Amino acid sequence: MKDHTTCVVTPKVKADGFDPLGVAVHRGSTIVFRTAEDYANRAKRGMDGYSYGLYGTPTTRTLERKLTQLEQGARTFLTPSGQSSNAIAMQAFLSAGDKILIADSCYPPVRDFAVNDLRRQGVSVDFYDPSSPFDLERRIDDVTRMVWCESPGSTTMEVQDLPRIAEIAHRVGALVGCDNTWATPLNYKPLGYGADIVTEALTKYVAGHSDVLMGSITVSTEALAGPVRGVLGRYGIGVSPDDAALVLRGMETLPVRLAYAFESAMELATIFQEHPLVDRVLFPALPGCVGHELWKRDFLGASGVFSVVFTPNASEHVPAALDQLQIFAIGASWGGTRSLVAPMQVRANRSATEWKDEDLLLRVSAGLEAREDLRADVGRLLAAVEEKSRQARVSMSALGGMQYTLNNKQGE
């Protein structure tokens, strides 16, 4: 063999006895076959076989297998992001003339995809009250092919009665999909409560370090796997083995990270709840919160994400007060090691329900910092909101006094 050829041809090295704890990163696009016959029959290898890197490597299959076990499903597929999981799960099972019913509290990009893409493809799109199975029952019909859930709801944290929703949907032959990103498969098992499809934004808690994008789709039966695999193949969608390895590494600490974040969130939520400028805290794990009883019934735990509704006179001052934070970062997403806050607006993303509270909510994601530091930072935020609210009251009072004097002079 010439040197040029030796540089290109990889020798086979025995791996017997090399048994590390970490998962190897298998990079590859081309998969070689021993014979021409093997290549001709590559489709017969099925979903568990290897034929091309786009359809899986030992690294990505390891992550899929772990997720399938946690979700208690039949098969899992990886996608480049959480939103791609939602979109592909819908695309795989909807055709022109079908109808989808989506929880009104869904992740805003889901609404955007349904309204702008599914409708363009001839799919009828409607939204239902996530807290009312009666509203779902009123809207569902014989052409409804899918009911989409997200429990708790994005930002506003509505907990859905998934067993009841599944019963209503399955009665007309519709599939039930559920975005489970908030709880993760450690704290909620949607497939066990009647869902047919569950999606996760692995970007968040499962990967856990704010440095990778990935999503997953897990189906309850092998019969549902084919359509998902087909869409992924036709669209040429796959994930990097390196990214999958990062998610696998993050998953190993998921239970302890999630538990710590939840305990921190409970402390912080209580501080917000007791402050006079806070109207209410949206956190299903918090006693007295709407949806708390359903959460106790169906969930195994909670994450560290909640939302804060401020009083009308305080809400407008929250964005400026965020600049006083020293530990919390301002940014989208959640579930990483760093605590995050994000001001969110709700009304523009509602159609089946009316949001009657202040439009601006503060979404909080508790991270892994020392709780003393987090409490102090929340104190700085609330103090800044108080001060800005006080200044606004003084300015309004002064303006009112000036207007009163001006009116009196005009009367003279």
Side-chain angles (χ1 to χ4, degrees):
M1 188 182 293
K2 300 297 184 182
D3 286 351
H4 283 200
T5 305
T6 300
C7 287
V8 174
V9 176
T10 303
K12 298 294 183 181
V13 177
K14 290 183 64 176
D16 296 348
F18 183 75
D19 193 16
L21 289 174
V23 177
V25 180
H26 293 268
R27 302 183 189 93
S29 55
T30 298
I31 307 298
V32 297
F33 298 81
R34 289 185 302 172
T35 67
E37 184 179 2
D38 286 343
Y39 181 73
N41 293 321
R42 63 191 181 280
K44 295 180 180 180
R45 294 186 173 190
M47 291 189 188
D48 293 321
Y50 298 103
S51 60
Y52 191 63
L54 179 67
Y55 304 110
T57 70
T59 310
T60 58
R61 296 280 172 82
T62 301
L63 178 54
E64 290 172 348
R65 183 76 59 85
K66 274 198 172 189
L67 289 165
T68 301
Q69 291 172 348
L70 289 173
E71 302 281 13
Q72 298 177 355
R75 191 174 290 273
T76 296
F77 300 93
L78 301 177
T79 71
S81 69
Q83 172 57 10
S84 65
S85 299
N86 299 330
I88 292 163
M90 296 178 186
Q91 195 81 22
F93 298 101
L94 294 171
S95 302
D98 290 340
K99 177 178 177 179
I100 183 172
L101 283 163
I102 302 173
D104 207 32
S105 55
C106 69
Y107 181 47
V110 167
R111 179 183 293 269
D112 193 30
F113 169 74
V115 169
N116 289 291
D117 293 293
L118 291 182
R119 280 181 177 166
R120 177 170 49 82
Q121 295 168 21
V123 176
S124 175
V125 175
D126 196 8
F127 297 87
Y128 67 95
D129 184 342
S131 301
S132 173
F134 173 78
D135 186 52
L136 173 66
E137 198 159 23
R138 182 175 65 86
R139 296 172 186 269
I140 204 165
D141 54 29
D142 290 341
V143 298
T144 302
R145 177 66 171 137
M146 181 176 285
V147 174
W148 191 260
C149 304
E150 182 178 339
S151 187
S154 185
T155 305
T156 46
M157 304 290 160
E158 293 90 344
V159 181
Q160 298 193 251
D161 189 345
L162 190 54
R164 177 72 177 123
I165 289 170
E167 187 274 324
I168 294 169
H170 291 160
R171 193 189 309 156
V172 299
L175 297 171
V176 176
C178 184
D179 184 334
N180 192 43
T181 300
W182 181 87
T184 82
L186 292 189
N187 287 328
Y188 192 39
K189 312 283 188 184
L191 299 181
Y193 289 99
D196 303 288
I197 306 158
V198 60
T199 62
E200 306 277 355
L202 305 176
T203 305
K204 296 179 169 65
Y205 275 116
V206 180
H209 292 80
S210 305
D211 58 0
V212 63
L213 289 164
M214 195 171 295
S216 65
I217 305 168
T218 303
V219 293
S220 61
T221 66
E222 286 288 350
L224 298 174
V228 177
R229 168 71 178 269
V231 168
L232 290 170
R234 289 190 295 274
Y235 279 77
I237 295 172
V239 303
S240 160
D242 295 87
D243 288 345
L246 287 175
V247 177
L248 282 162
R249 175 180 287 187
M251 185 184 286
E252 293 186 10
T253 59
L254 175 61
V256 290
R257 288 188 289 104
L258 203 56
Y260 186 88
F262 166 61
E263 291 172 6
S264 297
M266 285 294 285
E267 285 192 23
L268 300 179
T270 301
I271 294 171
F272 278 110
Q273 188 179 47
E274 294 174 350
H275 197 276
L277 291 182
V278 171
D279 185 45
R280 61 189 179 120
V281 173
L282 309 177
F283 192 26
L286 201 62
C289 179
V290 175
H292 179 68
E293 294 305 316
L294 279 175
W295 172 80
K296 283 202 305 182
R297 186 192 74 182
D298 295 345
F299 286 70
L300 302 170
S303 72
V305 179
F306 61 91
S307 295
V308 181
V309 182
F310 286 83
T311 59
N313 61 323
S315 182
E316 64 181 299
H317 305 296
V318 171
L322 296 180
D323 294 341
Q324 301 303 311
L325 292 168
Q326 298 177 15
I327 306 300
F328 282 88
I330 303 170
S333 197
W334 68 67
T337 59
R338 185 74 181 271
S339 292
L340 296 173
V341 292
M344 311 288 290
Q345 291 182 306
V346 179
R347 290 197 188 108
N349 292 304
R350 294 297 170 108
S351 57
T353 57
E354 181 184 2
W355 182 254
K356 297 180 180 179
D357 288 318
E358 287 297 297
D359 191 28
L360 185 140
L361 277 66
L362 184 67
R363 190 178 68 197
V364 180
S365 172
L368 303 185
E369 303 92 342
R371 293 188 184 122
E372 295 86 348
D373 291 333
L374 294 177
R375 289 194 297 266
D377 220 25
V378 168
R380 279 186 284 270
L381 170 63
L382 292 171
V385 174
E386 280 184 313
E387 177 59 21
K388 292 181 183 300
S389 299
R390 185 193 67 79
Q391 292 174 358
R393 289 195 302 271
V394 170
S395 297
M396 289 297 293
S397 178
L399 182 61
M402 292 173 59
Q403 186 66 44
Y404 176 77
T405 302
L406 179 61
N407 289 341
N408 282 346
K409 286 186 175 181
Q410 288 175 345
E412 293 174 358

